[in-house]
């Protein structure tokens, strides 16, 4: 059935032995989850974490695990604020499990929407991710990541996948992160146009020698970029100043 978690305040789990998540979704028994799973307008205080923690984690185990191979196809994470992410802290993570590698890839997280969230990390943190696609054998497909602010992380957006077909990452303010976007495992470029990288000259990459914004890796299609932060209500690409 549908799930709504909204207008609440959360601290990070007070774990001292094992990593833990504040909100954790996972399919069991091979059941596809097609009804809306909504996490909206919450505030997460992640400063209480002692070990690796994730504020919102959505997981599909994939074959041939004992809990069954199934999909999430209707997820919205919007309007949340994630504060004080420290070392090994993650705000939002999608994970496709892959079992032992004997089965076909399980692309079991389909079309998640991550919009209008504010993600604030502790500057200089290590192993921290704003939004992470962390997939063992499969890929998250058709993701939409728009209108988010991500700052103070080691990785603003981290795509640890071989491919992410249909993924759209645009109109985000990604700045003052050690690496703005990392997709060094990607086989094709991800659509990351019209983002603000913290400087009018665009992101740092060998193909943009004058860029002074956040670093992006290969396979990130960052052109055109915004030359000023995205503001709510602006229309892209018509009314926002950008570099072509």
């Amino acid at each position: 059935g549908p799930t709504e978690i909204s207008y609440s305040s959360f601290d990070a789990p007070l774990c001292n032995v094992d990593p833990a998540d504040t909100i954790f979704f996972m399919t069991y028994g091979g059941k596809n989850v097609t009804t809306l799973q909504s996490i909206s307008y919450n505030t997460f205080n992640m400063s209480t974490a002692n070990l690796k923690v994730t504020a919102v984690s959505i997981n599909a185990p994939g074959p041939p695990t004992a809990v069954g191979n199934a999909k999430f196809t209707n997820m919205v994470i919007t309007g949340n604020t994630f504060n004080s992410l420290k070392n090994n802290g993650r705000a939002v993570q999608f994970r496709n499990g892959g079992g032992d590698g004997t089965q076909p890839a399980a692309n079991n997280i389909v079309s998640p929407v991550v919009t209008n969230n504010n993600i604030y990390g502790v500057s200089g943190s290590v192993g921290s991710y704003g939004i992470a696609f962390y997939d063992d054998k499969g890929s998250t497909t058709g993701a939409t990541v728009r209108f988010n602010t991500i700052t103070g992380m080691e990785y603003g957006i981290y795509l640890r996948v071989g491919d992410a077909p249909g993924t759209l990452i645009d109109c985000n303010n990604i700045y003052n992160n050690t690496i703005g976007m990392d997709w060094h495992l990607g086989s094709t470029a991800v659509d990351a146009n019209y983002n603000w990288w913290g400087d009018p000259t665009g992101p740092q990459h060998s193909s943009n020698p004058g860029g002074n914004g956040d670093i992006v890796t290969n396979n990130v299609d960052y052109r055109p970029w915004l030359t000023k932060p995205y503001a709510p209500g602006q229309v892209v690409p018509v009314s926002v100043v950008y570099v072509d």
Side-chain angles (χ1 to χ4, degrees):
T3 300
E4 178 185 352
I5 301 173
S6 60
Y7 299 102
S8 299
S9 297
F10 296 93
D11 288 337
L14 297 175
C15 52
N16 292 310
V17 180
D18 297 312
D21 302 327
T22 305
I23 296 175
F24 180 91
F25 283 79
M26 187 171 181
T27 56
Y28 287 92
K31 302 291 187 181
N32 291 327
V33 181
T34 60
T35 53
L36 177 62
Q37 310 299 300
S38 175
I39 302 170
S40 55
Y41 307 106
N42 301 289
T43 300
F44 295 82
N45 170 28
M46 304 304 287
S47 67
T48 58
N50 296 321
L51 299 175
K52 180 171 69 176
V53 295
T54 303
V56 177
S57 183
I58 297 180
N59 305 267
T65 58
V67 294
N69 182 29
K71 299 178 183 291
F72 283 101
T73 59
N74 193 353
M75 302 142 288
V76 175
I77 300 171
T78 188
N80 302 285
T81 298
F82 303 88
N83 288 317
S84 303
L85 286 143
K86 304 190 297 185
N87 292 345
N88 299 309
R90 294 91 191 268
V92 177
Q93 178 171 277
F94 301 99
R95 185 160 190 163
N96 288 278
D100 62 6
T102 63
Q103 302 290 326
N107 303 325
N108 280 340
I109 297 178
V110 181
S111 301
V113 176
V114 185
T115 62
N116 294 292
N117 300 285
N118 295 311
I119 300 173
Y120 303 115
V122 176
S123 183
S125 61
V126 176
S128 59
Y129 310 145
I131 300 171
F133 298 86
Y134 191 87
D135 302 323
D136 293 333
K137 298 296 182 182
S139 296
T140 297
T141 64
T144 299
V145 180
R146 310 187 82 184
F147 315 135
N148 303 285
T149 293
I150 307 172
T151 185
M153 312 298 294
E154 181 175 15
Y155 298 91
I157 297 178
Y158 183 78
L159 296 103
R160 187 176 174 178
V161 296
D163 204 358
T167 296
L168 174 65
I169 302 173
D170 70 353
C171 305
N172 301 284
N173 295 325
I174 305 169
Y175 64 96
N176 291 344
N177 303 285
T178 304
I179 297 175
M181 190 179 300
D182 186 315
W183 197 20
H184 65 276
L185 297 179
S187 57
T188 58
V190 64
D191 185 346
N193 299 164
Y194 308 115
N195 293 295
W196 164 251
W197 301 100
D199 193 275
T201 59
Q204 296 180 51
H205 188 268
S206 59
S207 62
N208 183 35
N212 293 311
D214 277 15
I215 295 169
V216 299
T217 64
N218 294 337
N219 297 318
V220 175
D221 180 11
Y222 61 85
R223 284 190 170 94
W225 64 79
L226 301 183
T227 58
K228 59 184 178 182
Y230 177 82
Q234 290 180 316
V235 178
V236 173
V238 177
S239 64
V240 178
V241 177
Y242 64 97
V243 172
D244 207 345

